[in-house]
Amino acid sequence: MGYVRYNFDISNNLNRKTMSVDIGNRLRHLRLAHNLSQRELAKRAGVTNSTISLIESNSANPSVGALKRILDGIPIGMAEFFAFEPEKPKKAFYAAEELTEIGKGPISYRQVGENLFGRSLQILKECYQPGSDTGKVPLVHDGEEGGIVLSGRLEVTVDDERRILGPGDAYYFESRRPHRFRCVGPAPCEVISACTPPSF
């Protein structure tokens, strides 16, 4: 994952400074630190969910105005954002109780590692309650993702193809393809998934 080369006016005069910073990882880290989903931050900032996803994967270089609107949704100022330098995680092992919950409601997403700053892989233990799904609007973002069903039954839709997966079944696809997940059947569904770059 490359860094975005970002140009902006530090003050109100004509002096300009060029900064090479990892905007995507920085934004993702601060969003998660404030317990915000991509959808919630997008709603607060008045932008699309895919815009947040593209910026966090460093696939899009936002204008100063767009970045300010997004940061206002956290909220955090521009100067504080560019001065923020979280430490890269060094921990290698995680007990079950150390997984970080980043989901809410009927879908649980327990993430391996609290701080993904500087990392390009996100690993989740997911649990869908019966009837829960990721929403009527399909998810679309940069990268790739895959998962293996541990228990229950999970309906996975990718483009126009739909499959119901059971224990031991798996999926793997490019995340730019519209996709949706739904728990079918009377029991919760548990999944171990991974995506790169991190998308939540």
Side-chain angles (χ1 to χ4, degrees):
M1 185 188 317
Y3 292 139
V4 173
R5 191 156 188 86
Y6 199 82
N7 300 324
F8 69 101
D9 195 343
I10 298 293
S11 62
N12 290 326
N13 57 33
L14 296 178
N15 294 326
R16 300 180 66 85
K17 182 178 181 180
T18 301
M19 299 184 69
S20 295
V21 295
D22 188 348
I23 289 179
N25 268 318
R26 194 171 301 219
L27 178 60
R28 183 186 305 109
H29 181 86
L30 288 168
R31 174 176 60 76
L32 292 175
H34 286 78
N35 296 315
L36 293 172
S37 67
Q38 287 186 342
R39 290 182 185 277
E40 178 62 27
L41 179 56
K43 183 178 179 181
R44 290 186 180 191
V47 299
T48 64
N49 181 58
S50 61
T51 296
I52 302 295
S53 177
L54 288 170
I55 293 172
E56 290 190 354
S57 64
N58 284 323
S59 298
N61 185 3
S63 66
V64 174
L67 182 60
K68 186 179 185 307
R69 286 197 303 274
I70 292 169
L71 296 181
D72 285 345
I74 291 180
I76 186 174
M78 290 276 283
E80 186 180 358
F81 175 77
F82 282 102
F84 177 71
E85 285 290 350
E87 291 185 6
K88 293 185 178 181
K90 297 179 180 179
K91 188 172 181 177
F93 303 100
Y94 300 85
E97 63 272 14
E98 292 179 315
L99 301 186
T100 302
E101 178 62 67
I102 60 173
K104 63 180 180 179
I107 303 179
S108 168
Y109 297 115
R110 299 185 67 207
Q111 177 178 276
V112 178
E114 180 180 3
N115 174 13
L116 296 185
F117 186 82
R119 294 195 169 178
S120 56
L121 178 67
Q122 183 178 42
I123 304 172
L124 300 171
K125 182 177 182 182
E126 307 178 11
C127 183
Y128 297 76
Q129 295 303 313
S132 63
D133 63 52
T134 53
K136 294 182 179 180
V137 179
L139 303 172
V140 178
H141 52 91
D142 228 22
E144 296 181 335
E145 60 191 275
I148 299 176
V149 177
L150 301 180
S151 63
R153 292 163 63 82
L154 184 69
E155 180 188 84
V156 182
T157 303
V158 182
D159 290 326
D160 296 326
E161 187 175 3
R162 181 178 302 171
R163 295 283 181 88
I164 295 179
L165 307 180
D169 294 335
Y171 62 87
Y172 179 35
F173 54 84
E174 293 181 352
S175 303
R176 288 184 178 181
R177 300 171 65 185
H179 53 282
R180 179 188 179 198
F181 302 93
R182 184 169 72 96
C183 179
V184 296
C189 179
E190 290 193 320
V191 180
I192 297 294
S193 70
C195 63
T196 181
S199 62
F200 284 88

